[in-house]
């Protein structure tokens, strides 16, 4: 992996993360109004939710259940982008080729997703 790392932090309110191979976007509201933080062209993105009320949706990413950690059979240096999700209460994984939800990952403290 390269050395380009982005850290996105949610607020005390419910935040929404949207992730694709092109970008990861975290948005929500806070005391000053609404916000959107976008990470593009980073090798690694770390996204931190709040109290488990945050919702993440990522498209065409892979995950490795049941532990949802990094895959043991793939070298991380060869991946286009990796995403660590921490403290998101609800995570949805979508497949753009079918336009349907591939699966739900709920109440898992830490999830590793990647794009090849």
């Amino acid at each position: 992996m390269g050395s380009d790392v982005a850290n996105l932090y949610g607020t005390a309110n419910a935040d929404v993360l949207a992730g694709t191979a092109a970008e990861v976007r975290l948005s929500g509201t806070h005391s000053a109004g609404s916000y959107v933080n976008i990470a593009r062209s980073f090798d690694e993105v770390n996204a931190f939710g709040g109290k488990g009320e945050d919702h993440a949706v990522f498209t065409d990413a892979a995950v490795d259940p049941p532990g949802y950690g990094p895959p043991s059979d793939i070298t991380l240096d060869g991946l286009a982008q990796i995403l660590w999700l921490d403290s998101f209460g609800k995570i949805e994984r979508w497949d753009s080729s079918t336009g349907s939800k591939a699966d739900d990952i709920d109440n898992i403290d830490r999830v590793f997703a990647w794009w090849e």
Side-chain angles (χ1 to χ4, degrees):
M1 263 294 84
S3 59
D4 296 330
V5 177
N7 293 311
L8 302 176
Y9 294 91
T11 66
N13 299 325
D15 302 302
V16 177
L17 179 136
T20 67
E23 71 179 26
V24 176
R25 177 183 300 243
L26 184 65
S27 61
T29 60
H30 52 61
S31 60
S34 60
Y35 77 94
V36 176
N37 292 320
I38 301 170
R40 286 189 188 112
S41 302
F42 285 87
D43 299 311
E44 180 178 345
V45 178
N46 300 300
F48 302 92
K51 298 182 265 183
E53 298 173 8
D54 300 306
H55 182 187
V57 178
F58 47 86
T59 304
D60 297 332
V63 295
D64 191 21
Y68 294 105
S72 59
D73 58 341
I74 297 175
T75 305
L76 299 184
D77 290 341
L79 300 176
Q81 179 175 277
I82 62 173
L83 170 63
W84 275 108
L85 296 168
D86 192 305
S87 300
F88 281 79
K90 180 163 184 62
I91 300 171
E92 297 177 14
R93 192 169 65 89
W94 286 77
D95 181 341
S96 67
S97 67
T98 62
S100 62
K101 189 185 322 183
D103 61 338
D104 286 315
I105 306 165
D106 296 334
N107 301 313
I108 305 291
D109 289 334
R110 211 155 142 79
V111 174
F112 181 87
W114 71 92
W115 290 266
E116 296 187 55

